[in-house]
Amino acid sequence: MRDAYHEELDALTDKLVEMTRLVRSGISRATTALLDSDLHLAESVISQDDEVNRLFAEIEASIFDLMARQQPVAVDLRMVITALRMGSDLERMGDLAEHVAKITRLRHPDSAIPAELRSTILEMGQIAERLVTKAGSCIASHDVESAMELEADDDAMDQLHRRLFRVLLAKDSKWAVEQAIDVTLIGRYYERYADHAVRVARDVVYLVTGSRPDMSAL
Amino acid sequence: MRDAYHEELDALTDKLVEMTRLVRSGISRATTALLDSDLHLAESVISQDDEVNRLFAEIEASIFDLMARQQPVAVDLRMVITALRMGSDLERMGDLAEHVAKITRLRHPDSAIPAELRSTILEMGQIAERLVTKAGSCIASHDVESAMELEADDDAMDQLHRRLFRVLLAKDSKWAVEQAIDVTLIGRYYERYADHAVRVARDVVYLVTGSRPDMSAL
């Protein structure tokens, strides 16, 4: 049987996994709202971000409390430190989903995404969901090998991001400046979302192995 | 006289202040390079970011070591936790200065910034420098009141950011899509740089007072 202290650490893990579920739902609905110009759905993403922030505040509070009372060492210390960092990354992912939803709201009833770019954005949304789902499994299972898989998905996201720019810059297309701005920002939000998911996975690697993959590029 | 433990905490503060100096120099040179299309200066920003990353890695390593050996509590615990977070924000600010420099390099010998926007970018660079200078003083002096001042500078940055978009979207101007993309990204980099500086200042407030200002909007 786990003692109260380790039950608290387990509860922390559960809350982080819950955060991954919330920010997955956030980016999933943000992508659908963006592609369907669905104002109601966009609003739901914006209001749900408060829940993500609240959950992160709870995680922070319990970590500070736990550190002060239990003075964790070794792997437990790594657990609470990485939990703090993972929570911060997940909180940011919630913000980024919210940013996508805010552009949808700003352009409603028009669409921020021109027809030529719909399939690219759809794929970016799917990869973002896949990344955060895998990040959630990594947190829950402490599986280092699947944490490594996220790097490949992130490369796919970077390729889609470059494709967005190629389409924007194609010689024969005539974009309005507003469209170029929207697509540039939206592309950046998805790309950053993916980077934060990879950071979470790298923190799982650190937690399990005690050595840190290079984070500087993210 | 300070004991060895508190000397280690002081050394941590010194290293964070040193990080603010490096990332201030980074954004300062990145802005000049951007406005003067100075490839050599842009390259120096890009190569100096390694130094920022190395310094942050040193800070992280000494924090983990310190936590494992000394098991800090109360204000010392807040010190090491916030140092970790401030270091992470400063590391990101270095990345953002590097991103600005990379756009300069990409467009060289052309300028990424059209004449109409030069003064706005210059002001954004000045505010970014002011913010990180103040963040550095706050870290060094633990001055809560000056930490609060950063919010006003951040508001000024947000106004300049909106001005960029207004100029881009003005009816009579004809921008190339490439220009719109560059300006959108550069504007975003300065705005995020400012957000991270404010997060650093808010962490100083937390460190000193023990209560956390709302971070969710940053």
Side-chain angles (χ1 to χ4, degrees):
Chain A
M1 223 187 93
R2 307 279 278 172
D3 56 28
Y5 168 48
H6 286 96
E7 272 173 13
E8 281 183 72
L9 290 177
D10 290 346
L12 211 52
T13 300
D14 293 345
K15 279 184 184 166
L16 287 170
V17 173
E18 176 60 19
M19 273 190 93
T20 66
R21 282 199 203 100
L22 284 174
V23 304
R24 181 199 164 147
S25 154
I27 199 71
S28 166
R29 284 175 302 133
T31 305
T32 306
L34 177 65
L35 294 174
D36 297 352
S37 305
D38 184 333
L39 181 62
H40 182 73
L41 195 59
E43 295 281 8
S44 81
V45 177
I46 295 163
S47 60
Q48 198 208 37
D49 193 50
D50 286 343
E51 206 179 321
V52 177
N53 296 338
R54 230 175 1 250
L55 190 52
F56 179 48
E58 263 180 57
I59 289 175
E60 276 196 311
S62 52
I63 287 174
F64 280 62
D65 177 59
L66 205 145
M67 291 188 84
R69 280 186 298 108
Q70 306 279 6
Q71 298 164 26
V73 290
V75 69
D76 294 344
L77 177 62
R78 284 211 301 273
M79 170 70 211
V80 292
I81 297 263
T82 51
L84 209 50
R85 202 154 44 192
M86 290 190 278
S88 172
D89 281 310
L90 290 165
E91 191 268 324
R92 186 74 201 141
M93 289 161 78
D95 290 345
L96 292 163
E98 187 188 9
H99 288 350
V100 171
K102 282 186 172 169
I103 293 185
T104 301
R105 181 169 71 180
L106 187 65
R107 298 303 171 218
H108 181 83
D110 294 332
S111 171
I113 300 299
E116 297 91 317
L117 286 169
R118 290 180 61 83
S119 65
T120 307
I121 294 290
L122 183 64
E123 273 188 76
M124 289 176 98
Q126 285 164 344
I127 293 182
E129 281 186 62
R130 199 157 70 215
L131 277 161
V132 71
T133 305
K134 285 186 185 171
S137 315
C138 292
I139 295 171
S141 65
H142 288 184
D143 179 353
V144 171
E145 275 185 41
S146 70
M148 297 299 196
E149 282 176 25
L150 273 81
E151 310 280 344
D153 287 320
D154 187 43
D155 289 344
M157 181 67 97
D158 290 341
Q159 276 171 28
L160 290 167
H161 193 210
R162 283 192 291 272
R163 193 206 289 171
L164 271 191
F165 287 126
R166 271 202 310 278
V167 175
L168 278 182
L169 292 168
K171 282 213 164 46
D172 53 344
S173 48
K174 286 263 171 258
W175 304 92
V177 167
E178 186 179 273
Q179 284 179 313
I181 295 173
D182 285 348
V183 170
T184 301
L185 288 176
I186 288 167
R188 178 90 187 142
Y189 300 149
Y190 280 99
E191 192 244 328
R192 290 299 297 155
Y193 186 100
D195 284 346
H196 285 285
V198 174
R199 282 168 57 101
V200 169
R202 289 185 184 180
D203 262 333
V204 173
V205 174
Y206 170 68
L207 172 58
V208 176
T209 67
S211 80
R212 293 261 281 152
D214 179 27
M215 303 282 272
S216 59
L218 301 168
Chain B
M1 225 187 89
R2 306 278 278 171
D3 56 29
Y5 168 50
H6 285 97
E7 272 174 14
E8 280 183 74
L9 290 176
D10 291 346
L12 213 50
T13 301
D14 293 345
K15 279 185 184 167
L16 287 170
V17 173
E18 175 61 19
M19 272 188 94
T20 66
R21 283 198 204 101
L22 284 175
V23 304
R24 181 200 164 148
S25 153
I27 200 71
S28 166
R29 285 176 302 134
T31 305
T32 306
L34 178 64
L35 293 174
D36 297 352
S37 305
D38 184 333
L39 180 62
H40 182 73
L41 196 59
E43 295 281 8
S44 81
V45 177
I46 295 164
S47 61
Q48 199 207 35
D49 193 50
D50 286 343
E51 207 178 323
V52 177
N53 296 338
R54 232 178 356 252
L55 190 52
F56 179 48
E58 264 180 55
I59 290 174
E60 276 196 312
S62 52
I63 288 173
F64 279 63
D65 177 61
L66 205 144
M67 292 188 83
R69 279 187 297 109
Q70 306 279 7
Q71 297 164 24
V73 290
V75 69
D76 294 343
L77 177 61
R78 286 211 300 274
M79 170 69 209
V80 292
I81 297 265
T82 52
L84 209 50
R85 205 155 40 194
M86 291 190 276
S88 173
D89 281 310
L90 290 165
E91 190 267 327
R92 185 77 200 140
M93 290 160 78
D95 291 344
L96 291 163
E98 187 188 10
H99 289 350
V100 171
K102 281 186 171 170
I103 293 185
T104 303
R105 181 169 71 179
L106 188 65
R107 299 303 170 217
H108 181 82
D110 294 332
S111 172
I113 301 298
E116 297 91 317
L117 285 169
R118 289 179 61 83
S119 65
T120 307
I121 293 290
L122 183 64
E123 272 189 77
M124 289 177 97
Q126 285 165 344
I127 293 181
E129 280 186 60
R130 199 156 70 215
L131 277 161
V132 71
T133 305
K134 285 186 186 171
S137 316
C138 291
I139 295 172
S141 66
H142 288 185
D143 178 353
V144 171
E145 276 185 41
S146 70
M148 299 298 197
E149 282 177 27
L150 272 81
E151 310 279 346
D153 287 320
D154 187 43
D155 289 344
M157 182 67 97
D158 290 340
Q159 277 170 29
L160 290 168
H161 193 209
R162 283 192 291 271
R163 194 205 289 170
L164 271 191
F165 287 125
R166 272 202 308 280
V167 175
L168 278 183
L169 292 168
K171 281 212 167 45
D172 54 343
S173 49
K174 285 265 171 259
W175 304 92
V177 166
E178 188 179 272
Q179 283 179 313
I181 294 174
D182 285 348
V183 171
T184 301
L185 288 176
I186 289 167
R188 178 89 187 143
Y189 299 149
Y190 280 99
E191 191 245 326
R192 289 298 298 156
Y193 186 100
D195 284 347
H196 284 285
V198 174
R199 283 168 57 103
V200 169
R202 290 186 184 178
D203 263 332
V204 173
V205 174
Y206 169 68
L207 172 58
V208 176
T209 67
S211 79
R212 292 260 281 151
D214 179 26
M215 303 282 273
S216 59
L218 301 167

